[in-house]
Amino acid sequence: MIDAHLKKLRARDRINADEEAAIGLSISEVRKVRADVTVIHHGQELSECLLLLDGWMARTEDMSNGQQQISELQFCGDFVDLHGLTLKRLDHNVTSLTPCRIAVVPHENFRKLLEQFPHLARIYWMMTNIDAAIHREWTVSLGRRQALSRMAHLFCEIFERLKIVGQTSGNGYEFPLTQQELAECLGLTSVHVNRTLQELRKRGLIEVHKKRVTIPDLPALKAAGEFDTDYLYLERRPR
Amino acid sequence: MIDAHLKKLRARDRINADEEAAIGLSISEVRKVRADVTVIHHGQELSECLLLLDGWMARTEDMSNGQQQISELQFCGDFVDLHGLTLKRLDHNVTSLTPCRIAVVPHENFRKLLEQFPHLARIYWMMTNIDAAIHREWTVSLGRRQALSRMAHLFCEIFERLKIVGQTSGNGYEFPLTQQELAECLGLTSVHVNRTLQELRKRGLIEVHKKRVTIPDLPALKAAGEFDTDYLYLERRPR
DNA sequence: CGCGGTGTTGAGACCTGTCAAGACGTGTGG
DNA sequence: CCACACGTCTTGACAGGTCTCAACACCGCG
């Protein structure tokens, strides 16, 4: 059940059998939610952590004029609110973009897990640090890259992150977002996303067909997005 | 010496005398650097944490075309590379914007500190989570706010963060950045920063005089930037 | 079959960038 | 004390990227 999650951790450090078992045992229940459900509301007091088992979620922020910005995408294997363990509430919403399955870990269980395995405490701290690194990369994208390059970068990030948890197939992956949601990731309008997507396709960098992305030439796409895997910290070493 | 740092921590939780003493003792030395020095290079292996005692620093990322983006500002009381403790290297540079004084805490000391005081481990974890929250807020700013509003938001953030560590005076603060550096925070050009600054001034929202910012009407500036202090987590409660 | 959400396209407006020149100001050397 | 140099700030004209608005096409679903 937590296979994807373990893959994500093991991409960065060794996890032994005891740790693996303890993580599994800290789960109290599994829930299902439909698409477009806000599972965590901005400001809400938290008492549990949610591990995404299946589907896509997003961190979203609402603007006063009705616009939205997505600050990070979340895939299977990701804890969507690990930072809530110390923050106690979040500064943003967490919303399902597709139907999802979620494992619930009560904060109490999580605390015990981290006390018993200080090594896991460091690992999970690192996981939140990787989220921060992703945020920085988006900041750079939004601040300094044009639409085409920014979009290329995002498609690369998604590819690399899905690859870690075995969710890519061949040179592509399932991509369930609407152009509107993609626009909310990229700080663009859906109209411009549409045009940029066509431009990427015209250049042979990407194909989007029936909710599936195909990347004919990954190095070329990475070049277009100035993408460097560095910030995902894909090195297995003691943390 | 670590007064500002303690203020920052105590804005979020109680810190007792033992903890305070232990933090102070973990410092191995104090260094000085001039302005425009890159104290941490992207990718460099890390073995110590740097606590900013005085001056301003920034997380910067270089683009292939020579542009730069700043992803966060750092003030006195901030650990600039706390995430390096688990990440082992950073995905960005850390550069002094002014002359700075830095306290050095070797990773080894830091590890011992956190083992001895699990409460501090949670606090420092939270501090990196607050950095991530700041990154998210910048993402939203860059993605969805126009130049004027984005700049207003940034001046509010700086005011609130400096206030925590007692670095504001009256309704303003020392502001050592050039317009070029400000542009690198905001994803703009220095030319447009110049014009936006004039517009803010014309609207009576901000004055910039001789490296000092004055905010005549903070609520108005917050309104212009849609600023909400939420994301700084200024609540003293057990973590 | 009709409906609502999503995707597509065009024309024009707006925000921000680019380029270039000049003003200001501060520190240095004579 | 002055002259100069260099970085920073300021301004104008124009270009370009992205947005807005609106209409229409497409498609899955009840």
Side-chain angles (χ1 to χ4, degrees):
Chain A
M1 182 166 75
I2 59 170
D3 269 17
H5 179 60
L6 291 168
K7 279 182 189 161
K8 186 185 173 188
L9 301 187
R10 287 184 168 134
R12 278 81 177 201
D13 194 357
R14 295 182 186 287
I15 306 293
N16 68 37
D18 287 350
E19 292 169 333
E20 173 174 342
I23 295 170
L25 289 172
S26 64
I27 295 170
S28 67
E29 60 169 316
V30 174
R31 288 181 204 150
K32 290 187 181 188
V33 296
R34 274 166 301 157
D36 296 310
V37 173
T38 298
V39 296
I40 299 175
H41 290 267
H42 169 278
Q44 161 196 345
E45 191 78 11
L46 301 173
S47 59
E48 54 195 31
C49 285
L50 305 181
L51 171 58
L52 190 47
L53 298 176
D54 213 66
W56 287 30
M57 290 195 171
R59 310 192 189 285
T60 66
E61 280 183 62
D62 297 322
M63 310 297 294
S64 57
N65 62 4
Q67 291 188 104
Q68 265 199 344
Q69 177 69 29
I70 292 177
S71 57
E72 195 185 2
L73 292 172
Q74 302 280 240
F75 309 124
C76 87
D78 291 340
F79 266 107
V80 303
D81 56 354
L82 201 45
H83 47 324
L85 201 57
T86 56
L87 295 175
K88 311 300 188 189
R89 59 174 176 82
L90 299 191
D91 46 273
H92 60 271
N93 302 314
V94 178
T95 309
S96 60
L97 301 170
T98 68
C100 292
R101 273 175 54 241
I102 316 167
V104 179
V105 179
H107 279 187
E108 200 182 344
N109 295 10
F110 219 124
R111 290 281 189 121
K112 284 181 191 155
L113 179 69
L114 304 184
E115 277 166 30
Q116 197 183 349
F117 297 95
H119 176 237
L120 285 182
R122 294 196 299 274
I123 296 266
Y124 282 119
W125 186 358
M126 181 184 59
M127 289 300 145
T128 62
N129 289 337
I130 292 174
D131 281 332
I134 291 170
H135 291 144
R136 279 190 292 275
E137 206 51 40
W138 284 39
T139 299
V140 172
S141 248
L142 287 162
R144 291 290 170 224
R145 287 194 254 264
Q146 314 212 119
L148 188 108
S149 169
R150 203 184 300 166
M151 189 178 285
H153 192 280
L154 179 60
F155 281 121
C156 290
E157 174 180 315
I158 296 171
F159 183 81
E160 293 296 338
R161 289 178 58 193
L162 288 180
K163 199 171 65 173
I164 298 167
V165 291
Q167 296 269 110
T168 53
S169 53
N171 58 354
Y173 47 84
E174 298 306 309
F175 183 76
L177 300 201
T178 63
Q179 293 185 0
Q180 175 58 37
E181 287 161 338
L182 190 50
E184 284 165 4
C185 295
L186 296 169
L188 299 170
T189 56
S190 63
V191 171
H192 204 248
V193 161
N194 184 288
R195 290 175 175 137
T196 307
L197 228 28
Q198 290 178 49
E199 180 64 25
L200 277 173
R201 180 153 164 278
K202 198 168 74 182
R203 297 196 189 183
L205 293 172
I206 211 161
E207 293 286 335
V208 187
H209 248 9
K210 293 217 147 241
K211 298 287 169 196
R212 184 179 161 78
V213 163
T214 308
I215 303 172
D217 183 352
L218 185 58
L221 187 67
K222 286 187 174 177
E226 303 180 272
F227 184 87
D228 184 333
T229 317
D230 263 25
Y231 72 101
L232 296 175
Y233 293 90
L234 298 170
E235 309 136 12
R236 188 176 296 121
R237 54 181 292 183
R239 302 289 173 176
Chain B
M1 183 167 75
I2 58 169
D3 269 18
H5 179 60
L6 291 167
K7 280 181 189 162
K8 186 185 172 186
L9 301 186
R10 288 184 167 134
R12 278 81 178 203
D13 194 358
R14 295 182 187 287
I15 306 292
N16 68 35
D18 286 351
E19 292 169 332
E20 173 174 342
I23 296 170
L25 288 172
S26 64
I27 295 170
S28 68
E29 60 168 316
V30 173
R31 287 182 203 147
K32 290 188 182 189
V33 297
R34 274 166 303 158
D36 297 308
V37 173
T38 298
V39 296
I40 300 175
H41 290 268
H42 168 277
Q44 160 195 346
E45 191 79 11
L46 300 174
S47 58
E48 53 195 30
C49 285
L50 305 180
L51 170 59
L52 189 47
L53 298 176
D54 214 66
W56 287 30
M57 290 195 170
R59 310 190 190 285
T60 66
E61 280 182 62
D62 297 323
M63 310 296 294
S64 57
N65 62 4
Q67 291 187 103
Q68 265 199 343
Q69 176 69 29
I70 291 177
S71 57
E72 195 185 4
L73 292 173
Q74 302 279 242
F75 309 123
C76 87
D78 291 341
F79 266 106
V80 303
D81 56 354
L82 200 45
H83 46 325
L85 201 58
T86 56
L87 294 175
K88 311 299 188 190
R89 60 174 176 82
L90 300 191
D91 46 275
H92 59 272
N93 302 314
V94 179
T95 309
S96 61
L97 301 170
T98 68
C100 292
R101 274 174 53 239
I102 316 168
V104 179
V105 179
H107 280 187
E108 201 183 342
N109 295 9
F110 219 124
R111 290 279 187 121
K112 284 180 191 155
L113 179 68
L114 303 184
E115 278 165 29
Q116 197 183 348
F117 298 96
H119 176 237
L120 285 183
R122 295 195 300 273
I123 297 266
Y124 282 119
W125 186 357
M126 180 185 60
M127 288 300 144
T128 63
N129 289 336
I130 291 174
D131 280 333
I134 291 170
H135 291 144
R136 280 190 291 275
E137 206 51 41
W138 283 39
T139 299
V140 172
S141 247
L142 287 162
R144 291 289 170 225
R145 288 193 253 265
Q146 318 212 114
L148 188 109
S149 169
R150 203 185 300 166
M151 189 178 286
H153 192 281
L154 178 60
F155 281 121
C156 289
E157 173 180 315
I158 296 171
F159 184 81
E160 294 295 339
R161 289 178 58 193
L162 289 179
K163 199 170 66 173
I164 298 167
V165 291
Q167 295 269 108
T168 54
S169 53
N171 58 355
Y173 47 85
E174 298 305 309
F175 183 77
L177 301 201
T178 64
Q179 294 185 0
Q180 175 58 39
E181 288 160 338
L182 190 48
E184 285 164 4
C185 295
L186 295 169
L188 299 169
T189 56
S190 62
V191 171
H192 200 63
V193 161
N194 185 288
R195 291 177 173 134
T196 307
L197 228 28
Q198 289 178 48
E199 180 64 24
L200 277 174
R201 179 153 165 278
K202 199 168 75 183
R203 298 196 189 183
L205 293 172
I206 211 161
E207 294 286 335
V208 187
H209 250 8
K210 297 217 143 237
K211 297 289 169 195
R212 184 180 161 78
V213 162
T214 308
I215 302 173
D217 183 351
L218 185 58
L221 187 67
K222 286 188 175 178
E226 303 180 272
F227 183 87
D228 185 333
T229 317
D230 264 26
Y231 73 100
L232 296 176
Y233 293 90
L234 298 171
E235 310 136 9
R236 188 177 296 120
R237 55 182 289 183
R239 302 289 172 174

